[in-house]
Amino acid sequence: MKYKTTQQALDAMQALQETLAAYHHVMGVTYLDASTCAPKGSYECRGKAMGILSRITYDLMANPDNDEMLSALEADIDSLSQQQKREVEVLRKNYDQLNRIPAEEYVQYSVLLNDAEAMWEKAKNQNDFELFAPYLEKIVDFNIKFAGYYDAGKHPYDALLNEYEEGLTMETLDGFFGQLRSAIVPLLERIGEAEPVDNSFLFRKYPVEKQKEFAKYLMEVLDMDPNFCAISESEHPFTNGFNNKDVRITTHYYENAPTFAMYSTIHEGGHAIYELDIDDCYNFSTLSGGASMGIHESQSRFYENLIGRSRAFTSYVFPKLKELFPEQLADVDEEMFYRGVNKVEPSLIRTEADELTYSLHIMVRYEIEKMLISREISVQDVPATWNRLYKEYLGVEVPDDTNGCLQDIHWAGGSIGYFPSYALGSAYGPQMLAVMQKEVGDIYQDVEKGDLSKARAWLKENIHRHSALYKPGELFERCCGKFDAKYFTDYLTKKFSEIYDL
Ligand code: ZN
């Protein structure tokens, strides 16, 4: 026996977690650099370096000594703290899973993803799906193979879903999406017959330098401490948190669409606040970074929609916008702005979708992923299937793949089974809001004055500070009770009936 005492095993577990965290830190910074300012030609050598680093982290985690260490801790589990118990549980899951993936495949996959992201960007810019298709084929094959390693007893797509949201299945999602569809589609029809909202003023020329100033201002309003959180630019906005003292967000500025940077900054801000508000004890631990993708998305979308698109928030930030863009907004008032950022319009691009139709964009991706992983369609069928579903669900014609199936980075990054967590996250938020309002009173009276602290304090206490101490479903139920999508559909119905005077 390598570990004579529980303390020795605990020390080994701590050392392992800290070493892994250090590697993930370096790899995360490299990824951030690659997505923001690294020159295009750097991808090949970076791919090699990332391959070597992945190999090291693979070996660190798959090391048979870990099995012995975890077994020693499992034998004396009652003497451990709650955090240590959960660390053992998560590390055990990771260890067992990794040992089912051959090291060679693991490394090949991480090299593939590096190349695929560079190729995806090129394919998107040149509207050439064929450039990306061979990479996507390999990514799908790897995911099907990995799903078998994760849990051979499950349908491969269920096994992939479970990676992002423990316990999530196609059965649950089919029911959830069905419930959403039956509420959203009729509402959308009524909105289509109502007086349209004019948001043409949001497509005037808004100089990027001024937009950057506004993004900075938003980070102040969201109380994102610049000592611990920075913003940069990338093709596709994202958040990368290394620990609760170093969280990075990115955005993308479009001169003719200022609300893209505005709402992506608030969205990524929600992710960042989550990571900034995690308790110190989870730094350098396997429990860092939050509970799950779904819970993470619930926080980003809470900030983006429930706060950022509320009348209270838009009325607070509107004077600042007027100050930065006096000419562009000369003929616009607060109410026009609120209605403008909440305009419902079936569209092509997910990240620009309004709050109501957003879930329909997710449903398209969900259906395609299910079919790809079940081998009901091939990668070659993706563009046509995509276009057909957009027509069916959203009623829009997709003009090209750049505005169609090449728009998102997720598949290039290997994330298949991730998209449903966006819809789930959107639906968690309104239920959290209902409980929050009951417990701490109306948050919007404060939001109207630019004070977001009441909402943040509730989220920190109930969600953020715990990171991954609890499983996502358990974390949610501890503060909100059983999940019910009705909170979400009621919220949408009430909000949009008022805006469109239905
Ligand atoms: Zn997000």
Side-chain angles (χ1 to χ4, degrees):
M1 276 294 276
K2 196 167 174 200
Y3 303 99
K4 294 193 185 65
T5 64
T6 300
Q7 191 54 50
Q8 279 177 353
L10 280 173
D11 292 343
M13 180 168 76
Q14 187 60 22
L16 172 67
Q17 293 185 92
E18 291 186 2
T19 309
L20 285 171
Y23 277 102
H24 289 144
H25 192 146
V26 170
M27 290 166 81
V29 173
T30 306
Y31 178 81
L32 181 77
D33 174 75
S35 314
T36 52
C37 57
K40 292 270 176 279
S42 65
Y43 82 93
E44 254 176 78
C45 291
R46 181 177 53 255
K48 182 171 173 176
M50 289 289 256
I52 293 167
L53 288 167
S54 308
R55 175 74 213 212
I56 295 173
T57 56
Y58 177 92
D59 288 343
L60 272 169
M61 194 58 225
N63 182 352
D65 278 358
N66 293 336
D67 188 26
E68 216 177 302
M69 168 193 88
L70 292 169
S71 299
L73 293 169
E74 282 155 354
D76 193 19
I77 198 81
D78 291 337
S79 74
L80 305 188
S81 71
Q82 190 186 6
Q83 181 180 339
Q84 289 163 341
K85 278 181 196 162
R86 179 70 174 148
E87 286 169 356
V88 168
E89 184 184 10
V90 172
L91 286 169
R92 168 57 78 192
K93 184 176 168 254
N94 295 348
Y95 174 84
D96 287 349
Q97 214 163 61
L98 219 49
N99 273 282
R100 292 188 203 116
I101 299 178
E104 278 315 304
E105 287 179 24
Y106 185 84
V107 174
Q108 278 166 13
Y109 186 58
S110 67
V111 173
L112 170 67
L113 295 186
N114 181 70
D115 296 348
E117 284 198 15
M119 199 49 83
W120 163 77
E121 201 177 326
K122 200 170 165 189
K124 183 182 167 183
N125 288 335
Q126 299 179 5
N127 183 35
D128 188 350
F129 183 74
E130 289 309 318
L131 284 178
F132 179 54
Y135 293 86
L136 185 56
E137 271 162 23
K138 286 189 195 136
I139 289 170
V140 168
D141 290 345
F142 265 112
N143 272 273
I144 292 172
K145 214 188 301 178
F146 288 176
Y149 298 147
Y150 298 153
D151 193 339
K154 278 192 177 128
H155 183 288
Y157 192 57
D158 277 344
L160 295 175
L161 288 172
N162 191 59
E163 285 304 289
Y164 298 104
E165 201 68 15
E166 233 172 318
L168 189 62
T169 61
M170 288 185 284
E171 198 190 335
T172 308
L173 284 174
D174 287 341
F176 168 60
F177 284 133
Q179 204 178 340
L180 292 193
R181 215 167 17 220
S182 62
I184 293 172
V185 171
L187 191 56
L188 205 52
E189 273 166 20
R190 286 164 65 207
I191 289 171
E193 288 154 13
E195 179 78 22
V197 163
D198 176 20
N199 70 347
S200 55
F201 59 88
L202 293 174
F203 300 94
R204 291 169 182 166
K205 234 172 146 180
Y206 291 76
V208 165
E209 283 313 309
K210 294 279 178 191
Q211 289 193 42
K212 286 186 185 173
E213 238 180 274
F214 187 60
K216 243 187 169 162
Y217 163 81
L218 286 173
M219 288 174 73
E220 277 168 34
V221 176
L222 264 62
D223 197 18
M224 294 160 70
D225 188 339
N227 274 318
F228 305 115
C229 185
I231 183 168
S232 54
E233 289 170 59
S234 64
E235 176 64 26
H236 198 96
F238 63 90
T239 300
N240 214 340
F242 309 119
N243 49 64
N244 71 356
K245 306 280 187 287
D246 187 357
V247 181
R248 316 294 179 90
I249 66 170
T250 70
T251 187
H252 194 110
Y253 300 100
Y254 295 97
E255 196 177 49
N256 295 313
T259 50
F260 183 88
M262 173 179 175
Y263 282 102
S264 74
T265 301
I266 301 175
H267 177 98
E268 301 308 329
H271 283 301
I273 286 167
Y274 186 178
E275 303 225 359
L276 291 165
D277 282 352
I278 287 172
D279 280 348
D280 287 344
C281 60
Y282 301 111
N283 285 337
F284 289 93
S285 141
T286 197
L287 306 182
S288 67
S292 71
M293 299 300 179
I295 300 288
H296 240 297
E297 282 307 316
S298 76
Q299 299 311 292
S300 54
R301 303 190 73 75
F302 192 98
Y303 274 89
E304 179 189 349
N305 291 328
L306 301 179
I307 291 181
R309 285 194 168 85
S310 68
R311 191 175 255 117
F313 187 83
T314 54
S315 94
Y316 179 74
V317 301
F318 189 69
K320 182 72 184 180
L321 276 166
K322 274 268 212 196
E323 180 194 316
L324 288 168
F325 305 105
E327 285 159 31
Q328 292 85 345
L329 296 172
D331 54 350
V332 178
D333 66 21
E334 227 174 86
E335 183 63 17
M336 284 165 76
F337 183 71
Y338 169 69
R339 287 162 54 90
V341 301
N342 282 296
K343 181 182 171 77
V344 172
E345 194 170 38
S347 65
L348 294 167
I349 307 293
R350 176 185 62 88
T351 52
E352 294 164 20
D354 57 79
E355 203 178 351
L356 185 65
T357 56
Y358 188 85
S359 304
L360 301 173
H361 290 259
I362 299 301
M363 285 180 215
V364 171
R365 288 152 180 78
Y366 169 65
E367 295 299 337
I368 291 178
E369 288 184 346
K370 256 199 322 193
M371 289 189 274
L372 274 176
I373 297 299
S374 311
R375 301 242 190 244
E376 283 171 44
I377 60 169
S378 73
V379 164
Q380 287 302 328
D381 301 324
V382 167
T385 312
W386 182 285
N387 300 352
R388 178 176 61 77
L389 290 173
Y390 260 78
K391 179 84 190 150
E392 193 180 320
Y393 291 2
L394 288 125
V396 295
E397 296 285 353
V398 180
D400 53 47
D401 294 335
T402 298
N403 289 291
C405 63
L406 285 173
Q407 65 182 268
D408 297 307
I409 196 172
H410 301 64
W411 293 339
S415 302
I416 298 181
Y418 183 111
F419 281 118
S421 63
Y422 286 120
L424 205 60
S426 301
Y428 281 155
Q431 194 167 344
M432 288 179 189
L433 178 66
V435 177
M436 181 188 296
Q437 301 263 57
K438 212 184 276 169
E439 289 178 6
V440 301
D442 185 17
I443 62 162
Y444 292 108
Q445 281 175 4
D446 294 358
V447 172
E448 213 170 47
K449 297 179 206 125
D451 177 4
L452 276 49
S453 60
K454 216 188 231 177
R456 181 164 175 175
W458 188 94
L459 293 170
K460 181 176 181 176
E461 175 60 27
N462 291 286
I463 306 288
H464 300 168
R465 70 183 183 92
H466 303 295
S467 200
L469 183 64
Y470 305 103
K471 290 180 185 170
E474 194 185 346
L475 179 70
F476 183 84
E477 284 190 16
R478 277 172 58 91
C479 54
C480 292
K482 208 170 157 38
F483 170 64
D484 185 352
K486 204 176 172 319
Y487 285 93
F488 182 43
T489 53
D490 283 354
Y491 156 80
L492 291 173
T493 306
K494 186 167 172 241
K495 176 172 179 176
F496 291 101
S497 298
E498 194 260 337
I499 290 173
Y500 280 91
D501 198 17
L502 300 179

